[in-house]
Amino acid sequence: MSDTPKYILVENYIKKSIQSKTLIDKLPGERSLAKELGFSYMTIRKAIENLVDQGVLYKIPTKGTYVNKDGSNKKKTSTIGYFLDSSIKSGISSPYYSLLLNAIEKEAAKHDYSVVYFSDTSVGRLKKTLSKLDGVIATCFPRIEDTILDIKQNVPIVVIENSAADKTIASVIIDNFNANVESVDYITSLGHQNIGFMMGLDDSDIGKSRFAGYKHGLQKNKIELNDELVFRGNYSYEAGIEGAEYFLSLQNAPSGIICANDSMALGAMQKFHQEGYDVPTDISIIGFDDIDVASQIVPKLTTIAAPVDQIAKNAFDILKDLINGEEPEQQHVTLAANLVIRDSCNKLKSDVAA
Amino acid sequence: MSDTPKYILVENYIKKSIQSKTLIDKLPGERSLAKELGFSYMTIRKAIENLVDQGVLYKIPTKGTYVNKDGSNKKKTSTIGYFLDSSIKSGISSPYYSLLLNAIEKEAAKHDYSVVYFSDTSVGRLKKTLSKLDGVIATCFPRIEDTILDIKQNVPIVVIENSAADKTIASVIIDNFNANVESVDYITSLGHQNIGFMMGLDDSDIGKSRFAGYKHGLQKNKIELNDELVFRGNYSYEAGIEGAEYFLSLQNAPSGIICANDSMALGAMQKFHQEGYDVPTDISIIGFDDIDVASQIVPKLTTIAAPVDQIAKNAFDILKDLINGEEPEQQHVTLAANLVIRDSCNKLKSDVAA
DNA sequence: TAATCGATATGCTATATAGCAAAAAATATT
DNA sequence: AATATTTTTTGCTATATAGCATATCGATTA
């Protein structure tokens, strides 16, 4: 005698019958099934009740019990979540994160997964949401690592943007450091020496490594770091405006500015224009992310293109492995991000004159 | 004798006891409860089993049954969904819809609701997602009314952007018609007579009424409609570029253009700039939506500001009533949307000269 | 004092039975 | 042939009982 309850056996039997198409549409009545299978009526009922809860069957009172053909059995319905910390400035409406979500949706759709987005960190509510998800892709920031650990308790997770302190958590990030080195290389190649950096919050890998890339780029190009040329923002458009004000207030304003993201670059460009400076004639600007608007504004923004499609693909592939209980080929992926040169940088004026 | 099953009565009794704090932590044993309440053991069991399924209680075998304090009862954990048809151009990463989602999130957060976004129209998967939601706010387009009806089968829904053909579905929309009349009024007040319209798809209320507003505005200002000055786009940035090309190709190009949304306005501005025309000196442009970038670009875009916060508030209020089984004050709300004047329109050149 | 044993309480599974209401099918009646 | 009536089938609720496994507590024993 097995120790699995009989109603489970009955459940499995019914499921199998559905898969093998022995059972197509309507089940025999509960009483006849009981007789047929040799279990009691109530046992059969319990099994069927569970299957109804699971969505495998549905009932019409006084008519009978039927197989639910709505996908739920033909192909395991899979849904993954995209989690973005709600404390992110303007949340999902921030252009970069909505871009990421869109990329993940597209990638997931290819594999017949659907995606829901959620941002709630309240553990109680989280559980409710998670219970219906097969896996989660989360944008990771240090302040929400606890939440991420919570999620990991419930479903497989892979983290993007920043890697987690806990290295057992799979991650897909981009090479922020070398990306910004490339930016510095490029802008110095145009003759700029006085190069400002508009950094974001340095509470994350992203913040730190983009800044580190800037510093290393200067060093590589034999330019000394000048603390005055570093402005600390918070990635927002408004911060970009403030940053521009700050740089303009300097005795020795930079001729080129590298921004830690596009939104700040946009803010800076707006402010410069307002103050009568032309981008790129007077000031060159480089962004980071390559959000949609970057190429839609005048001048088109030269920026580091975050490979969102690649990020989505890699993250999804890993997640899929985790969901299927397989070992992913790589737990930690770092993708290259390269500069796309558009119209927001010019040769240094004096160089042009020369 | 009431016709509600006894196990439901027991469920309610237990729930009430929890709310009134008569029941705090541990339940009496199933057998004692049965004796106490005068129902049979199995009836009590069924009630408790259901409450466990609902997350109200949890059990530890051989120890007892306990009240689940994890938020789930202290304040009914509520999650609403935001549904956006996945066929929308660039989906949730389209600036306007991500703005809407963000507004809904903020409004919901005020009332301690959390929001998930989903876009899947596959009915099977939909069910799975919906089963965990208390209500849904959906952007409505004619092509997805079937899906919306499906959703309505499962949870309360209120629809935004367009109202549904089925008038039993609550809706919150904006007054697209009068908004565009205002645009025409404004642009004619600057002297423009040759006014182009870049319309979106006319398969929806939005498309139709924005166009109708344009036509009525012309009529109101005694300008005859010229079919040549109407370009049909699909709301995308790329369509804006095409539209600009089209208008430039005309014998008698318009001096001002009203666009059915901001993205097309952006595309047009880009193209005009590329072709050496200055906005607003040579051509005036008005958008619709007031997405974030509208005020972040140069020149800042004059546009109709969709009152997203109001839309979110109204939709949420109605939805909350529906969720609570109350009659909402209004089933159908239309909000005013007004022009915000920025820098993308100038007086007509000839007028300036005069 | 410490270990052992046993009674007890707990939730879990399984079975049998009995009646209800609604729909469908079969039968009888007009 | 059409209608009315009865019977059957269906799922649903409710109850009673009986044994299982595990944990806990208390008394007993070494």
Side-chain angles (χ1 to χ4, degrees):
Chain A
M1 244 247 255
S2 73
D3 53 349
T4 50
K6 298 192 183 173
Y7 68 92
I8 301 266
L9 298 179
V10 176
E11 278 180 44
N12 291 337
Y13 170 78
I14 294 178
K15 278 188 190 166
K16 226 174 267 174
S17 303
I18 294 174
Q19 277 192 335
S20 68
K21 312 239 170 155
T22 321
L23 231 183
I24 310 216
D25 185 35
K26 191 182 173 194
L27 269 74
E30 294 172 341
R31 281 168 250 252
S32 6
L33 246 185
K35 214 169 254 176
E36 189 183 319
L37 301 183
F39 296 108
S40 116
Y41 174 65
M42 290 310 285
T43 305
I44 294 317
R45 272 209 106 242
K46 171 137 194 170
I48 290 180
E49 195 176 34
N50 284 346
L51 290 173
V52 168
D53 276 355
Q54 293 168 35
V56 178
L57 304 176
Y58 66 97
K59 312 180 114 175
I60 303 178
T62 109
K63 293 207 65 176
T65 306
Y66 302 83
V67 176
N68 189 349
K69 283 152 192 156
D70 249 359
S72 36
N73 46 54
K74 64 166 69 142
K75 188 172 260 181
K76 187 168 161 266
T77 308
S78 302
T79 308
I80 63 170
Y82 170 66
F83 175 75
L84 174 68
D85 175 14
S86 57
S87 73
I88 289 285
K89 170 83 188 171
S90 75
I92 196 64
S93 75
S94 94
Y96 179 63
Y97 294 110
S98 64
L99 205 60
L100 263 177
L101 171 52
N102 194 234
I104 292 169
E105 269 194 316
K106 280 189 295 187
E107 180 65 28
K110 277 186 206 160
H111 300 83
D112 233 358
Y113 277 62
S114 58
V115 179
V116 306
Y117 147 83
F118 64 103
S119 67
D120 205 307
T121 53
S122 123
V123 184
R125 285 190 287 225
L126 207 53
K127 287 242 175 65
K128 198 182 176 195
T129 308
L130 291 176
S131 63
K132 279 285 162 176
L133 298 180
D134 300 289
V136 167
I137 294 177
T139 45
C140 178
F141 290 93
R143 63 180 166 284
I144 57 158
E145 288 218 7
D146 285 348
T147 306
I148 286 173
L149 255 22
D150 267 334
I151 295 175
K152 202 189 169 209
Q153 296 289 315
N154 294 273
V155 290
I157 186 170
V158 10
V159 126
I160 58 178
E161 292 296 286
N162 291 294
S163 59
D166 177 345
K167 291 306 173 197
T168 65
I169 297 176
S171 67
V172 176
I173 60 175
I174 61 177
D175 186 350
N176 294 287
F177 181 86
N178 283 310
N180 264 1
V181 171
E182 189 182 348
S183 288
V184 178
D185 280 348
Y186 171 68
I187 207 165
T188 53
S189 79
L190 295 176
H192 297 273
Q193 293 281 316
N194 213 16
I195 303 163
F197 185 65
M198 206 176 276
M199 71 183 292
L201 303 169
D202 63 350
D203 63 344
S204 66
D205 279 357
I206 285 189
K208 285 178 201 145
S209 53
R210 288 184 191 177
F211 185 36
Y214 162 75
K215 287 192 286 191
H216 182 79
L218 291 185
Q219 195 185 326
K220 184 180 165 199
N221 287 280
K222 313 258 179 334
I223 301 173
E224 205 161 327
L225 175 66
N226 177 356
D227 279 336
E228 227 184 16
L229 291 181
V230 176
F231 174 82
R232 289 167 188 270
N234 65 353
Y235 296 116
S236 72
Y237 175 80
E238 290 73 23
I241 293 179
E242 287 168 31
E245 277 168 4
Y246 168 75
F247 284 129
L248 288 178
S249 76
L250 293 178
Q251 203 82 61
N252 192 17
S255 63
I257 299 174
I258 296 174
C259 302
N261 77 339
D262 287 349
S263 289
M264 290 199 292
L266 254 56
M269 283 167 74
Q270 176 74 246
K271 185 70 191 174
F272 286 140
H273 176 264
Q274 220 169 76
E275 298 297 327
Y277 296 87
D278 184 74
V279 175
T281 314
D282 302 316
I283 301 175
S284 291
I285 292 190
I286 299 181
F288 202 116
D289 282 347
D290 195 22
I291 59 180
D292 284 341
V293 274
S295 53
Q296 298 179 350
I297 56 171
V298 178
K300 293 184 182 175
L301 184 64
T302 291
T303 188
I304 300 288
V308 285
D309 292 337
Q310 296 269 348
I311 296 173
K313 182 178 183 345
N314 279 274
F316 183 82
D317 283 350
I318 296 176
L319 186 60
K320 214 172 102 183
D321 283 345
L322 293 176
I323 291 173
N324 295 333
E326 292 161 23
E327 185 78 8
E329 284 176 41
Q330 302 181 60
Q331 278 267 61
H332 299 280
V333 176
T334 302
L335 299 167
N338 293 303
L339 191 68
V340 359
I341 296 173
R342 291 199 270 250
D343 309 331
S344 64
C345 293
N346 254 12
K347 284 207 167 176
L348 184 63
K349 263 190 200 165
S350 54
D351 278 30
V352 175
Chain B
M1 246 246 250
S2 72
D3 54 348
T4 50
K6 298 191 181 173
Y7 69 92
I8 301 267
L9 297 179
V10 176
E11 278 180 46
N12 290 336
Y13 170 78
I14 294 179
K15 279 188 189 167
K16 226 174 268 175
S17 302
I18 294 174
Q19 278 194 334
S20 68
K21 311 237 170 156
T22 320
L23 230 184
I24 309 216
D25 185 36
K26 191 183 172 192
L27 267 75
E30 293 172 341
R31 281 169 249 254
S32 5
L33 246 185
K35 215 169 255 176
E36 190 184 316
L37 300 183
F39 295 109
S40 118
Y41 174 66
M42 290 309 287
T43 305
I44 295 312
R45 273 209 106 243
K46 169 135 195 173
I48 290 181
E49 195 176 36
N50 284 346
L51 291 173
V52 168
D53 276 354
Q54 292 169 36
V56 177
L57 304 176
Y58 66 97
K59 311 180 117 175
I60 304 178
T62 108
K63 295 208 65 177
T65 306
Y66 302 84
V67 176
N68 189 351
K69 282 155 191 151
D70 242 3
S72 37
N73 47 56
K74 66 164 65 139
K75 189 169 260 182
K76 188 168 161 270
T77 306
S78 302
T79 309
I80 63 169
Y82 171 65
F83 175 75
L84 175 68
D85 175 13
S86 57
S87 73
I88 290 285
K89 170 83 186 171
S90 76
I92 195 63
S93 74
S94 94
Y96 178 64
Y97 293 109
S98 64
L99 205 61
L100 264 177
L101 171 52
N102 193 235
I104 292 169
E105 269 194 317
K106 280 190 296 187
E107 181 64 27
K110 277 187 206 160
H111 300 83
D112 233 358
Y113 278 62
S114 58
V115 179
V116 307
Y117 148 82
F118 63 102
S119 68
D120 205 307
T121 51
S122 121
V123 185
R125 287 189 287 226
L126 207 53
K127 287 242 175 66
K128 197 182 177 195
T129 308
L130 292 176
S131 64
K132 280 284 161 177
L133 298 180
D134 300 290
V136 167
I137 295 176
T139 46
C140 179
F141 290 93
R143 62 181 167 283
I144 57 159
E145 288 218 6
D146 285 347
T147 307
I148 286 172
L149 256 20
D150 268 333
I151 296 175
K152 202 188 169 209
Q153 296 288 314
N154 294 272
V155 291
I157 186 170
V158 9
V159 127
I160 58 178
E161 292 296 287
N162 291 294
S163 60
D166 177 345
K167 291 307 173 198
T168 65
I169 297 176
S171 66
V172 176
I173 60 175
I174 61 177
D175 186 350
N176 295 286
F177 180 86
N178 283 309
N180 263 0
V181 171
E182 190 181 349
S183 289
V184 177
D185 280 346
Y186 170 68
I187 207 165
T188 52
S189 78
L190 295 176
H192 297 273
Q193 293 281 317
N194 213 16
I195 303 162
F197 185 67
M198 207 176 275
M199 70 184 291
L201 303 169
D202 62 350
D203 63 344
S204 64
D205 279 357
I206 285 189
K208 283 179 203 146
S209 52
R210 289 185 189 174
F211 184 38
Y214 162 76
K215 286 192 286 191
H216 182 79
L218 291 185
Q219 194 185 328
K220 184 180 164 197
N221 287 281
K222 314 259 180 333
I223 300 173
E224 205 161 327
L225 175 67
N226 177 355
D227 280 335
E228 226 182 18
L229 292 180
V230 175
F231 175 82
R232 287 163 191 271
N234 65 352
Y235 296 116
S236 71
Y237 175 81
E238 290 73 23
I241 293 179
E242 285 168 33
E245 277 168 4
Y246 168 75
F247 284 128
L248 288 178
S249 76
L250 292 179
Q251 202 82 61
N252 192 18
S255 63
I257 298 173
I258 295 174
C259 301
N261 77 339
D262 287 350
S263 289
M264 288 199 293
L266 255 57
M269 283 166 74
Q270 177 73 246
K271 186 67 192 176
F272 286 140
H273 176 265
Q274 220 171 76
E275 299 296 327
Y277 295 87
D278 184 74
V279 175
T281 315
D282 301 317
I283 301 176
S284 291
I285 292 190
I286 298 181
F288 203 115
D289 283 346
D290 195 22
I291 58 180
D292 285 341
V293 275
S295 53
Q296 298 178 350
I297 55 171
V298 177
K300 293 184 181 173
L301 183 63
T302 292
T303 189
I304 300 288
V308 285
D309 292 337
Q310 296 268 349
I311 295 173
K313 182 175 182 349
N314 279 274
F316 183 81
D317 283 350
I318 296 176
L319 185 59
K320 213 172 104 184
D321 284 345
L322 292 176
I323 290 173
N324 296 332
E326 291 160 23
E327 184 79 8
E329 284 176 41
Q330 301 181 61
Q331 279 267 60
H332 299 281
V333 176
T334 303
L335 300 167
N338 293 303
L339 190 68
V340 0
I341 296 173
R342 290 198 272 250
D343 311 330
S344 64
C345 292
N346 255 11
K347 282 207 167 174
L348 185 63
K349 265 190 200 166
S350 53
D351 279 28
V352 176

